[in-house]
Amino acid sequence: MSQRQSLVAANWKMNGSLESIRQLLAAIAQGVNKETQSEVLICPPYVYIPELAGLLDNTEIRLGAQNVSQHNSGAYTGEVAASMLKDFACDYVIVGHSERRTLYGEGDVRVAEKFVTVQAHGMTPILCIGELLEEREANNTEEVIARQLDAVIEMAGIKAFNNAVIAYEPVWAIGTGKTATPEQAQEVHEFIRLRLARHDHETAETVRILYGGSVKADNAKQLFELADIDGGLIGGASLVAEDFLTICHSVR
Ligand code: 13P
């Protein structure tokens, strides 16, 4: 049996206000304690990171960002560098979220560059991968997942996955209320581990793979029970403290 520590991560996306995130965080922090089995992470919009860094100081909850520039510094208007996130105690950074890939044209190579940059600054990347509906319907899911993974393995090396998290987020399940069935999710998670195992068996066995895509309070448990699912990356349901806490406490 593997010893992987489960992780439940909130991706708040572009939601909230200073007032609402203070309230949400207070409610979440109250429910996360030493008894909480899972590691809990919150990824707020960039501008709220300093505020959350202060609020999370004496809690068990970790802080992360939703994106990062692949560059270290310079004339990149509107971008945020990894060193800046590190300055505010971020432990994790999401890279390659499907909304970045599809709405902002981030390709596999740029995502791999971001992955490398995050690690170079002592933080842990959460690499998001996942297929579009038409790719699944054309039976191309494994091909897409392999391509997205291989781009990072090629640039960062397989050992880099010893300090990384992977999030499988089927694009058709994000924000749609249409969760992957436990069978569909487990099948892809297993495929991801096998793909990594071609290079390094131990890395494949120890890397945490989260599921994301319409995880809710009432379906988290059946997903988190599966052998190769080590937690979740939660969008909509992470904006409701009670729901998010139920999900955090649904891990095996
Ligand atoms: P939803 O949970 O809202 O489907 O979003 C999932 C997601 O994109 C998390 O990164």
Side-chain angles (χ1 to χ4, degrees):
M1 232 12 234
S2 75
Q3 298 294 313
R4 296 186 296 266
Q5 158 79 52
S6 58
L7 171 64
V8 177
N11 176 5
W12 285 352
K13 306 193 181 181
M14 197 176 74
N15 292 294
S17 63
L18 191 52
E19 187 50 36
S20 76
I21 62 133
R22 280 178 180 149
Q23 286 175 11
L24 178 56
L25 189 79
I28 291 173
Q30 232 178 15
V32 174
N33 49 43
K34 292 253 182 313
E35 320 289 283
T36 308
Q37 302 272 314
S38 177
E39 187 179 355
V40 176
L41 166 69
I42 297 189
C43 302
Y46 281 141
V47 293
Y48 297 134
I49 286 175
E51 174 76 11
L52 254 69
L55 295 172
L56 292 177
D57 213 15
N58 286 313
T59 72
E60 302 285 316
I61 303 170
R62 317 285 288 271
L63 180 61
Q66 299 172 14
N67 186 25
V68 67
S69 171
Q70 69 272 34
H71 303 293
N72 287 330
S73 67
Y76 302 104
T77 301
E79 292 289 283
V80 172
S83 58
M84 300 169 185
L85 301 175
K86 186 71 181 167
D87 272 347
F88 286 93
C90 284
D91 293 317
Y92 291 91
V93 182
I94 296 171
V95 298
H97 190 280
S98 71
E99 285 148 21
R100 301 298 317 174
R101 291 180 190 261
T102 58
L103 303 174
Y104 299 93
E106 293 190 8
D108 294 328
V109 170
R110 191 178 321 159
V111 171
E113 288 169 352
K114 291 184 178 202
F115 181 103
V116 168
T117 303
V118 169
Q119 286 192 334
H121 288 83
M123 298 176 290
T124 302
I126 300 178
L127 171 68
C128 296
I129 55 179
E131 81 287 0
L132 303 168
L133 182 60
E134 54 266 39
E135 292 168 333
R136 174 164 284 269
E137 284 174 345
N139 270 326
N140 285 334
T141 299
E142 293 191 346
E143 191 179 297
V144 171
I145 296 295
R147 192 201 73 222
Q148 292 173 335
L149 265 182
D150 290 354
V152 180
I153 297 172
E154 202 172 300
M155 193 180 297
I158 187 67
K159 292 286 183 198
F161 283 85
N162 290 338
N163 179 34
V165 173
I166 297 170
Y168 169 56
E169 299 205 304
V171 181
W172 47 271
I174 295 178
T176 57
K178 207 177 155 197
T179 322
T181 64
E183 294 72 30
Q184 286 172 323
Q186 168 58 26
E187 193 175 52
V188 178
H189 281 234
E190 196 180 339
F191 174 77
I192 292 168
R193 243 181 253 292
L194 287 171
R195 191 82 190 172
L196 297 173
R198 288 171 155 210
H199 302 269
D200 190 307
H201 201 76
E202 202 180 324
T203 299
E205 205 32 58
T206 51
V207 71
R208 292 182 290 177
I209 309 178
L210 313 182
Y211 170 80
S214 297
V215 177
K216 305 291 177 200
D218 61 6
N219 62 22
K221 202 158 192 256
Q222 48 175 327
L223 287 160
F224 296 170
E225 267 169 10
L226 299 165
D228 287 301
I229 299 187
D230 305 309
L233 183 52
I234 321 299
S238 73
L239 296 167
V240 180
E242 197 188 336
D243 292 355
F244 184 63
L245 287 168
T246 301
I247 295 169
C248 290
H249 294 127
S250 298
V251 291
R252 59 174 182 269

